[in-house]
Amino acid sequence: MTKEKMSGKQRVLSGVQPSGSLTIGNYLGALRQWVEEQYRYESYFCVVDMHAITVPHDPAQLAEKTREVAALYIACGIDPDEATIFVQSHIPAHAELAWILNCVTPVGWLNRMTQFKEKAARQQQESVSTGLFDYPVLMAADILLYQAHRVPVGDDQRQHLELTRDIAQRFNHLYGQTFVIPEAMIRGTAARVMGLDDPTKKMSKSETDSQYHAVYLLDSPDLARKKIMRAKTDSGKDIRFSDDPERAGVNNLLQIFEVLSGMESREAIEAHFEGKGYGHLKSEVADLVLETLAPIQERYRKIQNEPGYLDSILARGAERAGAIAEKTLREVQKRVGFLPRQ
Ligand code: TYM
Protein backbone atom coordinates (compact mmCIF):
# COMPACT_ATOMS: atom_id res chain seq x y z
CA MET A 1 0.00 0.00 0.00
CA THR A 2 1.31 3.49 -0.76
CA LYS A 3 2.08 5.94 2.03
CA GLU A 4 -0.72 8.17 0.71
CA LYS A 5 -3.29 5.42 1.01
CA MET A 6 -2.05 4.55 4.47
CA SER A 7 -2.11 8.14 5.67
CA GLY A 8 -5.26 9.05 3.72
CA LYS A 9 -3.74 12.47 3.15
CA GLN A 10 -3.71 14.41 -0.08
CA ARG A 11 -0.33 15.31 -1.53
CA VAL A 12 1.35 18.68 -1.77
CA LEU A 13 4.35 19.48 -3.94
CA SER A 14 6.21 22.72 -4.35
CA GLY A 15 9.68 24.01 -5.12
CA VAL A 16 12.06 26.94 -5.23
CA GLN A 17 14.79 27.65 -7.78
CA PRO A 18 18.29 27.96 -6.29
CA SER A 19 18.81 31.00 -8.52
CA GLY A 20 19.68 33.46 -5.75
CA SER A 21 19.16 34.04 -2.06
CA LEU A 22 15.66 33.48 -0.75
CA THR A 23 13.68 36.67 -0.07
CA ILE A 24 10.83 37.49 2.26
CA GLY A 25 8.70 37.28 -0.92
CA ASN A 26 9.51 33.57 -1.24
CA TYR A 27 8.82 33.13 2.45
CA LEU A 28 5.49 34.96 2.57
CA GLY A 29 4.22 33.73 -0.80
CA ALA A 30 5.32 30.11 -0.55
CA LEU A 31 7.36 28.73 2.36
CA ARG A 32 5.14 30.04 5.12
CA GLN A 33 2.20 28.22 3.58
CA TRP A 34 4.22 25.03 3.24
CA VAL A 35 5.10 25.13 6.91
CA GLU A 36 1.55 25.85 8.02
CA GLU A 37 0.04 23.06 5.92
CA GLN A 38 2.76 20.41 6.19
CA TYR A 39 0.98 18.14 8.64
CA ARG A 40 -2.34 18.30 6.82
CA TYR A 41 -0.84 16.93 3.60
CA GLU A 42 1.77 14.42 2.57
CA SER A 43 4.34 17.00 1.49
CA TYR A 44 7.14 17.01 -1.10
CA PHE A 45 9.41 20.04 -1.33
CA CYS A 46 12.06 20.11 -3.97
CA VAL A 47 14.94 22.41 -4.83
CA VAL A 48 14.52 22.86 -8.58
CA ASP A 49 18.12 23.10 -9.76
CA MET A 50 17.21 21.99 -13.30
CA HIS A 51 15.03 25.08 -13.61
CA ALA A 52 17.89 27.26 -12.38
CA ILE A 53 20.03 26.48 -15.45
CA THR A 54 17.42 27.78 -17.93
CA VAL A 55 19.05 31.23 -17.70
CA PRO A 56 22.80 31.95 -17.61
CA HIS A 57 24.10 30.85 -14.23
CA ASP A 58 27.32 30.39 -12.32
CA PRO A 59 28.15 26.65 -12.04
CA ALA A 60 30.45 27.33 -9.10
CA GLN A 61 27.51 28.70 -7.14
CA LEU A 62 24.68 26.38 -8.12
CA ALA A 63 25.50 23.48 -5.80
CA GLU A 64 26.12 25.87 -2.93
CA LYS A 65 22.80 27.65 -3.49
CA THR A 66 21.03 24.30 -3.78
CA ARG A 67 22.24 23.36 -0.30
CA GLU A 68 21.40 26.81 1.03
CA VAL A 69 17.81 26.60 -0.22
CA ALA A 70 17.36 23.08 1.20
CA ALA A 71 18.76 24.20 4.57
CA LEU A 72 16.41 27.19 4.54
CA TYR A 73 13.41 24.91 3.99
CA ILE A 74 14.25 23.28 7.30
CA ALA A 75 15.24 26.55 8.98
CA CYS A 76 11.87 28.06 8.01
CA GLY A 77 10.11 25.21 9.78
CA ILE A 78 9.69 22.31 7.37
CA ASP A 79 9.94 19.15 9.42
CA PRO A 80 12.21 16.75 7.51
CA ASP A 81 10.78 13.76 9.38
CA GLU A 82 7.35 14.57 8.06
CA ALA A 83 7.93 16.20 4.66
CA THR A 84 10.17 14.88 1.89
CA ILE A 85 12.89 17.39 0.97
CA PHE A 86 14.87 16.62 -2.18
CA VAL A 87 16.87 17.97 -5.11
CA GLN A 88 15.17 17.83 -8.50
CA SER A 89 18.25 16.69 -10.47
CA HIS A 90 18.67 13.71 -8.12
CA ILE A 91 15.54 12.20 -9.65
CA PRO A 92 16.04 11.50 -13.38
CA ALA A 93 12.30 10.89 -13.77
CA HIS A 94 11.70 14.68 -13.84
CA ALA A 95 13.57 15.05 -17.12
CA GLU A 96 12.12 11.85 -18.53
CA LEU A 97 8.53 12.82 -17.81
CA ALA A 98 9.17 16.36 -19.09
CA TRP A 99 10.17 14.85 -22.45
CA ILE A 100 6.98 12.85 -22.72
CA LEU A 101 4.88 15.85 -21.66
CA ASN A 102 6.65 17.96 -24.30
CA CYS A 103 5.12 15.67 -26.85
CA VAL A 104 1.56 16.39 -25.67
CA THR A 105 2.05 20.15 -25.14
CA PRO A 106 1.21 22.37 -28.13
CA VAL A 107 3.80 25.09 -28.76
CA GLY A 108 0.94 27.60 -28.80
CA TRP A 109 0.32 26.95 -25.09
CA LEU A 110 3.93 27.80 -24.25
CA ASN A 111 3.83 30.90 -26.46
CA ARG A 112 1.25 32.33 -24.08
CA MET A 113 3.45 32.14 -20.96
CA THR A 114 4.04 35.66 -19.70
CA GLN A 115 6.97 34.73 -17.45
CA PHE A 116 8.88 33.39 -20.46
CA LYS A 117 8.26 36.64 -22.34
CA GLU A 118 9.48 38.72 -19.38
CA LYS A 119 12.58 36.61 -18.78
CA ALA A 120 13.41 36.36 -22.49
CA ALA A 121 13.09 40.14 -22.87
CA ARG A 122 15.88 40.57 -20.31
CA GLN A 123 18.33 38.61 -22.49
CA GLN A 124 19.84 38.86 -25.95
CA GLN A 125 17.27 37.31 -28.28
CA GLU A 126 19.78 34.79 -29.75
CA SER A 127 20.89 33.52 -26.37
CA VAL A 128 17.44 32.69 -24.93
CA SER A 129 17.59 28.94 -24.31
CA THR A 130 15.13 26.29 -25.42
CA GLY A 131 15.11 25.26 -21.77
CA LEU A 132 13.67 28.63 -20.75
CA PHE A 133 10.86 28.21 -23.24
CA ASP A 134 10.25 24.66 -22.05
CA TYR A 135 10.52 25.53 -18.37
CA PRO A 136 6.76 25.25 -17.65
CA VAL A 137 6.67 21.68 -19.00
CA LEU A 138 9.44 20.64 -16.61
CA MET A 139 7.44 22.29 -13.84
CA ALA A 140 4.37 20.29 -14.89
CA ALA A 141 6.49 17.14 -14.70
CA ASP A 142 7.61 18.07 -11.16
CA ILE A 143 4.02 18.29 -10.03
CA LEU A 144 2.44 15.43 -11.98
CA LEU A 145 5.13 12.88 -11.10
CA TYR A 146 4.02 13.04 -7.47
CA GLN A 147 0.31 13.06 -8.28
CA ALA A 148 0.10 16.23 -6.18
CA HIS A 149 -3.38 17.49 -5.35
CA ARG A 150 -2.22 20.89 -4.15
CA VAL A 151 0.60 23.23 -5.09
CA PRO A 152 1.27 26.11 -2.68
CA VAL A 153 2.88 28.97 -4.62
CA GLY A 154 2.95 32.75 -4.98
CA ASP A 155 0.72 34.56 -7.41
CA ASP A 156 3.39 34.66 -10.17
CA GLN A 157 3.04 30.89 -10.66
CA ARG A 158 -0.70 30.96 -11.35
CA GLN A 159 -0.34 30.69 -15.12
CA HIS A 160 2.16 27.82 -14.85
CA LEU A 161 -0.32 25.94 -12.67
CA GLU A 162 -3.09 26.46 -15.21
CA LEU A 163 -0.80 25.07 -17.88
CA THR A 164 0.05 22.06 -15.70
CA ARG A 165 -3.66 21.31 -15.36
CA ASP A 166 -4.16 21.64 -19.12
CA ILE A 167 -1.25 19.28 -19.83
CA ALA A 168 -2.53 16.73 -17.30
CA GLN A 169 -6.02 16.87 -18.76
CA ARG A 170 -4.74 16.46 -22.28
CA PHE A 171 -2.58 13.48 -21.33
CA ASN A 172 -5.48 11.85 -19.48
CA HIS A 173 -7.71 12.44 -22.49
CA LEU A 174 -5.21 10.99 -24.97
CA TYR A 175 -3.93 8.03 -22.95
CA GLY A 176 -6.50 7.38 -20.23
CA GLN A 177 -6.77 8.58 -16.62
CA THR A 178 -3.19 8.82 -15.32
CA PHE A 179 -2.64 12.10 -13.51
CA VAL A 180 -4.32 13.81 -10.59
CA ILE A 181 -5.35 17.32 -11.72
CA PRO A 182 -3.54 19.63 -9.28
CA GLU A 183 -4.85 22.83 -7.77
CA ALA A 184 -2.85 25.94 -6.96
CA MET A 185 -2.91 27.16 -3.34
CA ILE A 186 -2.38 30.91 -3.49
CA ARG A 187 -2.91 33.11 -0.46
CA GLY A 188 -5.00 36.30 -0.61
CA THR A 189 -2.39 38.43 1.18
CA ALA A 190 1.29 38.85 0.27
CA ALA A 191 0.98 36.37 -2.60
CA ARG A 192 2.92 38.93 -4.64
CA VAL A 193 5.36 40.85 -2.45
CA MET A 194 6.68 43.83 -4.38
CA GLY A 195 10.22 45.22 -4.61
CA LEU A 196 11.04 47.64 -1.79
CA ASP A 197 12.96 49.90 -4.16
CA ASP A 198 10.25 49.77 -6.83
CA PRO A 199 6.81 48.59 -5.70
CA THR A 200 5.60 48.24 -9.28
CA LYS A 201 7.96 45.25 -9.71
CA LYS A 202 7.66 41.85 -8.03
CA MET A 203 10.32 41.21 -5.38
CA SER A 204 12.75 38.75 -6.94
CA LYS A 205 15.73 36.78 -5.65
CA SER A 206 17.52 37.18 -8.97
CA GLU A 207 17.28 40.98 -9.09
CA THR A 208 20.77 42.40 -8.72
CA ASP A 209 20.46 46.01 -9.90
CA SER A 210 19.63 47.54 -6.54
CA GLN A 211 20.82 46.56 -3.08
CA TYR A 212 17.58 47.89 -1.59
CA HIS A 213 15.25 45.72 -3.69
CA ALA A 214 14.66 42.75 -1.37
CA VAL A 215 15.12 41.59 2.19
CA TYR A 216 16.85 38.22 2.08
CA LEU A 217 16.16 35.61 4.73
CA LEU A 218 19.84 35.62 5.67
CA ASP A 219 20.26 39.42 5.83
CA SER A 220 21.68 40.81 9.07
CA PRO A 221 19.11 42.60 11.26
CA ASP A 222 20.70 45.98 10.56
CA LEU A 223 20.67 45.52 6.82
CA ALA A 224 17.09 44.20 6.78
CA ARG A 225 15.90 47.18 8.82
CA LYS A 226 17.76 49.63 6.62
CA LYS A 227 16.16 48.19 3.48
CA ILE A 228 12.67 48.44 4.96
CA MET A 229 13.20 51.97 6.28
CA ARG A 230 14.28 53.00 2.76
CA ALA A 231 11.29 51.35 1.04
CA LYS A 232 9.77 53.53 -1.62
CA THR A 233 6.37 54.97 -0.68
CA ASP A 234 4.47 58.01 -2.00
CA SER A 235 3.87 61.60 -1.04
CA GLY A 236 0.58 60.86 0.75
CA LYS A 237 0.02 60.35 4.46
CA ASP A 238 -2.85 57.88 4.91
CA ILE A 239 -1.93 54.35 5.89
CA ARG A 240 -4.61 52.34 4.08
CA PHE A 241 -4.80 49.17 1.97
CA SER A 242 -5.28 50.23 -1.65
CA ASP A 243 -5.18 48.93 -5.23
CA ASP A 244 -4.01 52.30 -6.52
CA PRO A 245 -0.65 51.76 -8.29
CA GLU A 246 0.49 55.13 -6.91
CA ARG A 247 0.13 53.70 -3.41
CA ALA A 248 1.67 50.30 -4.12
CA GLY A 249 4.59 50.89 -1.73
CA VAL A 250 2.41 51.45 1.33
CA ASN A 251 0.05 48.66 0.31
CA ASN A 252 3.02 46.28 0.05
CA LEU A 253 4.25 47.17 3.55
CA LEU A 254 0.72 46.78 4.91
CA GLN A 255 0.37 43.32 3.40
CA ILE A 256 3.67 42.22 4.93
CA PHE A 257 2.43 43.64 8.23
CA GLU A 258 -0.91 41.85 7.89
CA VAL A 259 0.65 38.41 7.47
CA LEU A 260 3.37 38.80 10.10
CA SER A 261 1.28 40.54 12.76
CA GLY A 262 -1.57 38.05 12.53
CA MET A 263 -4.00 40.91 13.20
CA GLU A 264 -7.48 39.72 12.37
CA SER A 265 -8.78 42.42 10.03
CA ARG A 266 -7.63 45.14 7.69
CA GLU A 267 -9.89 47.61 9.52
CA ALA A 268 -8.06 46.83 12.76
CA ILE A 269 -4.70 47.37 11.04
CA GLU A 270 -5.79 50.70 9.54
CA ALA A 271 -7.12 51.77 12.94
CA HIS A 272 -3.79 50.72 14.52
CA PHE A 273 -1.92 53.10 12.19
CA GLU A 274 -4.49 55.92 12.35
CA GLY A 275 -2.76 59.28 12.66
CA LYS A 276 0.73 57.72 12.32
CA GLY A 277 3.27 58.38 9.56
CA TYR A 278 4.96 56.12 7.00
CA GLY A 279 8.12 56.07 9.11
CA HIS A 280 6.16 54.48 11.91
CA LEU A 281 4.65 51.86 9.58
CA LYS A 282 8.11 50.97 8.25
CA SER A 283 9.55 50.66 11.71
CA GLU A 284 6.76 48.29 12.84
CA VAL A 285 7.17 46.21 9.68
CA ALA A 286 10.93 46.06 10.30
CA ASP A 287 10.34 44.88 13.90
CA LEU A 288 8.10 42.05 12.67
CA VAL A 289 10.46 41.03 9.87
CA LEU A 290 13.41 40.92 12.27
CA GLU A 291 11.40 38.86 14.76
CA THR A 292 10.57 36.43 11.95
CA LEU A 293 14.12 36.16 10.62
CA ALA A 294 15.90 35.66 13.96
CA PRO A 295 14.79 32.05 14.63
CA ILE A 296 15.16 31.13 10.95
CA GLN A 297 18.76 32.35 10.95
CA GLU A 298 19.51 30.61 14.22
CA ARG A 299 18.24 27.27 12.89
CA TYR A 300 20.07 27.85 9.61
CA ARG A 301 23.37 28.31 11.47
CA LYS A 302 22.76 25.14 13.48
CA ILE A 303 22.19 23.16 10.29
CA GLN A 304 25.38 24.59 8.78
CA ASN A 305 27.31 23.54 11.86
CA GLU A 306 26.13 19.96 11.78
CA PRO A 307 28.28 18.17 9.22
CA GLY A 308 26.45 15.54 7.20
CA TYR A 309 22.99 16.44 8.50
CA LEU A 310 21.70 18.14 5.34
CA ASP A 311 23.25 15.52 3.05
CA SER A 312 21.51 12.77 4.98
CA ILE A 313 18.15 14.57 4.69
CA LEU A 314 18.64 15.01 0.94
CA ALA A 315 19.72 11.40 0.46
CA ARG A 316 16.65 10.13 2.31
CA GLY A 317 14.49 12.62 0.40
CA ALA A 318 15.80 11.40 -2.95
CA GLU A 319 15.03 7.84 -1.97
CA ARG A 320 11.45 8.55 -0.93
CA ALA A 321 10.73 10.92 -3.82
CA GLY A 322 12.44 8.62 -6.32
CA ALA A 323 10.23 5.68 -5.42
CA ILE A 324 7.05 7.64 -6.12
CA ALA A 325 8.40 9.34 -9.22
CA GLU A 326 9.56 6.04 -10.72
CA LYS A 327 6.16 4.49 -10.19
CA THR A 328 4.36 7.31 -12.02
CA LEU A 329 6.95 7.33 -14.79
CA ARG A 330 6.56 3.57 -15.43
CA GLU A 331 2.82 4.00 -15.69
CA VAL A 332 3.20 6.91 -18.15
CA GLN A 333 5.74 4.98 -20.25
CA LYS A 334 3.36 2.04 -20.44
CA ARG A 335 0.48 4.30 -21.48
CA VAL A 336 2.39 5.94 -24.33
CA GLY A 337 3.48 2.52 -25.59
CA PHE A 338 7.19 2.28 -24.69
CA LEU A 339 8.51 -1.28 -24.71
CA PRO A 340 9.32 -2.27 -21.11
CA ARG A 341 12.97 -3.12 -20.50
CA GLN A 342 13.32 -6.77 -19.48
P1 TYM B 1 10.67 30.76 -7.63
O1 TYM B 1 11.95 30.08 -7.29
O2 TYM B 1 10.74 31.99 -8.46
O3 TYM B 1 9.91 31.16 -6.29
C1 TYM B 1 9.65 30.21 -5.27
C2 TYM B 1 8.28 30.44 -4.68
O4 TYM B 1 8.19 31.77 -4.15
C3 TYM B 1 7.07 32.45 -4.72
N1 TYM B 1 7.46 33.86 -4.90
C4 TYM B 1 6.79 34.89 -4.38
N2 TYM B 1 5.69 34.96 -3.62
C5 TYM B 1 5.27 36.18 -3.23
N3 TYM B 1 5.91 37.34 -3.58
C6 TYM B 1 7.02 37.32 -4.35
N4 TYM B 1 7.63 38.43 -4.68
C7 TYM B 1 7.51 36.05 -4.78
N5 TYM B 1 8.56 35.67 -5.53
C8 TYM B 1 8.51 34.32 -5.60
C9 TYM B 1 6.85 31.77 -6.06
O5 TYM B 1 5.52 31.96 -6.52
C10 TYM B 1 7.15 30.33 -5.72
O6 TYM B 1 6.03 29.73 -5.12
N6 TYM B 1 8.65 27.97 -11.19
C11 TYM B 1 8.87 28.06 -9.78
C12 TYM B 1 9.60 26.90 -9.19
C13 TYM B 1 9.01 25.55 -9.47
C14 TYM B 1 7.85 25.00 -8.87
C15 TYM B 1 7.73 23.69 -9.40
C16 TYM B 1 6.94 25.50 -7.96
C17 TYM B 1 9.52 24.60 -10.30
N7 TYM B 1 8.74 23.48 -10.27
C18 TYM B 1 6.67 22.84 -9.02
C19 TYM B 1 5.86 24.65 -7.58
C20 TYM B 1 5.75 23.36 -8.12
C21 TYM B 1 9.68 29.31 -9.50
O7 TYM B 1 10.38 29.82 -10.33
O8 TYM B 1 9.63 29.74 -8.24
Side-chain angles (χ1 to χ4, degrees):
M1 212 192 292
T2 64
K3 195 176 164 207
E4 187 209 356
K5 283 190 187 129
M6 285 189 297
S7 66
K9 287 180 181 173
Q10 289 201 333
R11 284 203 190 131
V12 147
L13 177 129
S14 201
V16 174
Q17 290 190 70
S19 52
S21 299
L22 295 205
T23 70
I24 55 168
N26 299 124
Y27 178 72
L28 296 172
L31 276 128
R32 208 179 139 89
Q33 279 204 79
W34 303 2
V35 172
E36 282 171 6
E37 307 285 352
Q38 65 182 325
Y39 298 109
R40 189 174 317 165
Y41 296 95
E42 186 188 312
S43 301
Y44 295 82
F45 299 120
C46 96
V47 184
V48 291
D49 53 347
M50 288 157 70
H51 279 103
I53 65 165
T54 56
V55 292
H57 75 289
D58 179 357
Q61 276 210 344
L62 184 60
E64 195 186 303
K65 284 284 166 204
T66 301
R67 301 178 108 259
E68 182 181 306
V69 172
L72 277 170
Y73 285 0
I74 303 167
C76 285
I78 297 296
D79 174 352
D81 290 329
E82 196 61 34
T84 301
I85 298 174
F86 67 102
V87 176
Q88 184 188 35
S89 67
H90 292 176
I91 315 288
H94 288 248
E96 294 178 75
L97 181 61
W99 178 256
I100 296 173
L101 297 180
N102 275 333
C103 300
V104 304
T105 306
V107 170
W109 291 3
L110 293 181
N111 275 330
R112 288 203 288 271
M113 295 295 111
T114 54
Q115 207 163 76
F116 169 73
K117 288 180 199 157
E118 285 162 21
K119 286 189 185 175
R122 280 185 236 135
Q123 292 177 52
Q124 296 279 358
Q125 193 59 34
E126 318 81 66
S127 62
V128 173
S129 74
T130 308
L132 186 63
F133 185 63
D134 199 33
Y135 174 119
V137 179
L138 178 59
M139 177 161 163
D142 299 340
I143 297 166
L144 300 180
L145 263 184
Y146 299 90
Q147 305 285 12
H149 300 85
R150 299 272 184 145
V151 186
V153 283
D155 184 67
D156 61 328
Q157 298 301 317
R158 198 181 285 277
Q159 196 186 32
H160 289 157
L161 254 297
E162 279 305 314
L163 180 84
T164 300
R165 290 166 60 88
D166 289 345
I167 293 173
Q169 264 151 358
R170 189 172 163 97
F171 189 97
N172 287 351
H173 175 74
L174 290 170
Y175 297 109
Q177 181 59 41
T178 308
F179 295 122
V180 167
I181 309 296
E183 262 179 60
M185 283 166 96
I186 300 173
R187 288 273 158 94
T189 300
R192 179 178 286 266
V193 176
M194 307 308 281
L196 297 173
D197 59 333
D198 176 0
T200 62
K201 273 181 24 197
K202 187 190 72 172
M203 184 182 282
S204 159
K205 62 174 127 59
S206 44
E207 168 74 54
T208 47
D209 289 350
S210 158
Q211 61 185 128
Y212 296 106
H213 171 74
V215 171
Y216 299 109
L217 298 186
L218 297 176
D219 272 350
S220 71
D222 283 354
L223 183 58
R225 184 176 292 279
K226 193 161 158 196
K227 288 176 175 176
I228 294 166
M229 294 311 291
R230 283 200 178 209
K232 188 159 178 233
T233 48
D234 55 73
S235 56
K237 279 210 295 275
D238 278 359
I239 300 181
R240 302 215 165 277
F241 289 91
S242 156
D243 292 334
D244 181 352
E246 292 287 313
R247 318 216 53 214
V250 169
N251 192 55
N252 192 37
L253 292 168
L254 278 172
Q255 294 212 17
I256 298 171
F257 183 88
E258 182 179 353
V259 176
L260 295 182
S261 69
M263 270 171 84
E264 70 288 356
S265 75
R266 292 192 166 185
E267 290 73 39
I269 294 170
E270 289 176 353
H272 173 78
F273 287 113
E274 187 72 52
K276 296 185 179 137
Y278 290 170
H280 188 96
L281 167 66
K282 287 177 180 177
S283 140
E284 286 208 23
V285 170
D287 290 345
L288 287 174
V289 168
L290 263 53
E291 257 172 51
T292 306
L293 297 189
I296 295 176
Q297 295 185 0
E298 196 188 315
R299 283 194 293 263
Y300 181 79
R301 278 191 287 272
K302 263 198 196 140
I303 296 167
Q304 295 304 86
N305 290 334
E306 216 177 305
Y309 172 71
L310 189 63
D311 290 331
S312 75
I313 300 283
L314 294 177
R316 194 173 69 190
E319 210 161 292
R320 280 199 222 158
I324 300 197
E326 277 297 313
K327 183 165 171 269
T328 308
L329 182 67
R330 293 293 157 251
E331 173 69 20
V332 169
Q333 289 174 329
K334 195 167 92 196
R335 289 200 178 258
V336 300
F338 288 172
L339 177 70
R341 181 174 160 181
Q342 297 303 324

